[in-house]
Amino acid sequence: MTPVMDDLLLGLDLGTSRCKAVLVDGSGSEVGAATAPTPFRSAGGCTEMAVDALLATVSGLAASLEPGIRRVTSVGIAGMAECGAPLDAYGRPLAPIVAWHDPRGTDVAEHLQSVFGDALGLRTGQRPRPVSTIAKLGWLVGHGIGPVARWLGAPELCLHELTGEAATEHSLASRTGCYDVVERRWLEEVARAAGFSTAVFAPVLAAGSVMGRTRSGRGLPAGIPVTLAGHDHLAGMLGAGARPGDLVNSVGTAETVVGTSPVLPDMAKALELRVAASVAPGGASWAGMTGATRAGLVLAAAAGALGRSLAALDALAGTAAQPAGAAQPAGIDDWLAQLIEQAAGRPADPASALPGAPPGEIWLGLLEALAARTAEAAERVATVVEGRRLLVIGGGAVSRPWLRAKRRAVRMPLLVARSGYAAARGAAIQAGVAGGWWDSASSGPRPALDPVEAAT
C-alpha cells in the first residue's frame, strides 16, 4: 500500500530516562517530535514507577503532537526491556514497574545461576542477572505479589493500553532471561525455579506484524494497527539506517554496543566475552549486545560533582589543553570507577576521588576514559557478530568532544545518524510495515549518516 501524502506514522520509544515520540511521513522525514521524562522515582535505594504514570506520559506525548497525531495511520512501540509489571486476571497492575537497574532480584539471579550454571546462559544468551525480567518477577512473587496472570514489559503495557491486546516480540522476550534464543521458546523449568510459570508471558509475535488495533478514546484514530518494534537499542539500529556489518553504539542512561547476524552467534564465545545474544526484531536473525558503562548516570553524577551542566562541560572540554594521546589528569580512572559503582547502586564515594585539575580537563579525561570502554565493547561485539563501522545514536551523540574521543579510541569508521530519535524512528518504520507501507523494515527509508573525524 502506497502511503497517502498526508498520512503519518507514530513511533514511540519508552526509555529509562526519557520517553520519545516521533511522527514520520512516507519519505522518512521526521515531521514532529516530543519528549518527556520517564516517571521513575527513586527512594531508599529502589527505583520504580506506577503503570498509570507511564501510560499518562505516553498519552501526554501523543496529545502534544496535535494536530499531526490525527493523521497517524499506524503505530510502532519500542523501549527499554526487562522491566514491566505483573497484572491480575482482570488486567490490573499488581505492583509498580521496577526499573531494570534497581538491585531487587539479585538473590533470584544468584539462585538461578546456582541451579543451572552456564548451561542456562547458552540458551538464554546471557548469564542470570538482577536486571532481567525473571529476576524482577521472581523477587515480586517471592515477596507476596500475586497471583500473577500476566507479565507485560513497558512497551507491551503501552500496546495493551492502546489496543487491549497482550503480546510481546522476539528481542523483548530475549531479555527476560527465560526465553531460549536458540530454539525460540519459553523455558518453563527456569520460570518454575524463579517461582512462577511461563504462562504469564504473552505470545511472541514478529515486529512489524499487526498486534492489535487502537481502541477509541486513546488519543489516536481508532482502528489503526499497532506493532511492537522491539528492544530500544535494536529499534535504534533500524532507525539509524544501520546496514549489515554495522555496529551501533546506543548512548543513553546505559551505553551499549550492538550488532546483528543472519546466523546464530557462537553462544559459548558470546558468553565468554560477556556479549548477550538475542533474537533480533522480526525473528529472522540474531543480535549481539554488550554494555560499555551506564554512561548517562555516570556523566550526570560527574556534572553534578563539577557544578556545571553537560553542555557547559562539553564547551570547556573543547578548549581544554589536552591533545589526543596526552596523559589524562591523575586520578581519572579512580574517579570513574567510583562513579560506576555509584551508578550501579553499590557503595561508593566519588567526591573523595575527584581529580585536582581544571573542570574542562577533568571532563575531557572522563570522556576519553569512557571512549576507551566503548572501543573495548565494540571489539568484543565484533568478535561475535560482523562489525565494519560504528554508528552512534542516542543523547550522547550530541556531545562533540565525546564523539571525537570515541573516534580516537575506536578502530573502525565512526558515524553519527542525523536523526535524534533513532529508536522512535525505528519504531515508526516498523509501524509502516504493519500498515503496509513497506514490505519489510529493511525497505523503509534510511536517514543520512555523517562521518566523525577526530578533529571535528
Side-chain angles (χ1 to χ4, degrees):
M1 181 183 78
T2 303
V4 176
M5 182 179 297
D6 289 337
D7 287 349
L8 297 174
L9 302 169
L10 173 63
L12 297 170
D13 170 23
L14 312 183
T16 306
S17 298
R18 302 190 71 79
C19 293
K20 308 171 190 71
V22 65
L23 295 174
V24 173
D25 66 16
S27 70
S29 298
E30 298 168 17
V31 300
T35 66
T38 305
F40 277 123
R41 295 291 181 264
S42 297
C46 297
T47 302
E48 60 187 35
M49 66 177 160
V51 172
D52 286 348
L54 173 65
L55 299 179
T57 297
V58 174
S59 178
L61 285 175
S64 71
L65 292 173
E66 289 281 6
I69 203 73
R70 303 174 196 170
R71 295 157 49 196
V72 169
T73 62
S74 191
V75 181
I77 309 165
M80 53 188 163
E82 292 108 4
C83 60
L87 309 178
D88 67 14
Y90 299 96
R92 298 175 301 203
L94 293 168
I97 300 170
V98 178
W100 57 267
H101 54 84
D102 184 289
R104 283 174 282 184
T106 300
D107 55 340
V108 178
E110 292 173 347
H111 172 66
L112 293 173
Q113 181 66 34
S114 69
V115 171
F116 297 103
D118 282 353
L120 179 56
L122 294 173
R123 309 304 296 179
T124 63
Q126 58 185 322
R127 293 182 177 90
R129 303 189 303 152
V131 304
S132 65
T133 298
I134 192 170
K136 293 292 186 276
L137 181 52
W139 186 92
L140 290 168
V141 170
H143 284 75
I145 298 298
V148 177
R150 178 70 72 200
W151 168 276
L152 295 177
E156 295 103 308
L157 286 166
C158 185
L159 171 73
H160 185 261
E161 169 65 13
L162 292 177
T163 69
E165 300 294 336
T168 189
E169 168 282 338
H170 293 90
S171 65
L172 295 172
S174 297
R175 300 297 293 183
T176 62
C178 198
Y179 186 73
D180 188 325
V181 303
V182 179
E183 298 182 0
R184 305 182 204 189
R185 63 180 179 86
W186 296 112
L187 294 167
E188 182 63 26
E189 66 277 18
V190 179
R192 291 291 183 189
F196 59 91
S197 167
T198 57
V200 303
F201 293 121
V204 181
L205 304 179
S209 64
V210 179
M211 300 182 187
R213 294 184 179 274
T214 50
R215 300 182 286 182
S216 60
R218 273 22 184 215
L220 287 159
I224 62 174
V226 183
T227 191
L228 292 171
H231 194 186
D232 49 9
H233 302 306
L234 291 166
M237 288 194 75
L238 174 62
R243 297 181 180 277
D246 286 342
L247 303 182
V248 165
N249 176 209
S250 178
V251 191
T253 302
E255 182 181 4
T256 66
V257 177
V258 59
T260 58
S261 171
V263 298
L264 181 71
D266 182 330
M267 298 294 283
K269 176 63 71 175
L271 206 63
E272 174 190 344
L273 294 174
R274 306 187 317 281
V275 175
S278 67
V279 183
S285 59
W286 283 266
M289 179 187 314
T290 195
T293 315
R294 293 179 182 176
L297 298 176
V298 165
L299 291 179
L306 294 170
R308 290 170 169 82
S309 68
L310 298 177
L313 288 164
D314 273 353
L316 289 173
T319 59
Q322 185 179 344
Q328 296 176 355
I332 280 290
D333 288 337
D334 290 341
W335 191 43
L336 176 57
Q338 290 294 317
L339 290 167
I340 290 172
E341 290 298 299
Q342 178 177 281
R346 295 187 287 265
D349 186 14
S352 67
L354 181 63
E361 292 185 17
I362 293 174
W363 192 250
L364 183 54
L366 183 60
L367 296 180
E368 295 278 359
L370 288 171
R373 288 172 172 264
T374 304
E376 187 272 339
E379 291 292 332
R380 284 190 282 122
V381 174
T383 304
V384 176
V385 301
E386 184 180 11
R388 295 191 299 266
R389 305 187 303 176
L390 185 65
L391 281 55
V392 184
I393 64 172
V398 304
S399 171
R400 302 310 299 181
W402 199 3
L403 287 175
R404 290 195 294 269
K406 288 182 180 185
R407 185 67 199 91
R408 291 190 287 269
V410 175
R411 294 188 295 181
M412 61 181 72
L414 190 74
L415 302 98
V416 61
R418 290 183 187 175
S419 171
Y421 303 90
R425 178 189 174 86
I429 298 301
Q430 293 286 14
V433 177
W437 289 26
W438 304 294
D439 292 335
S440 66
S442 61
S443 61
R446 302 171 188 266
L449 295 170
D450 295 320
V452 177
E453 303 300 335
T456 298

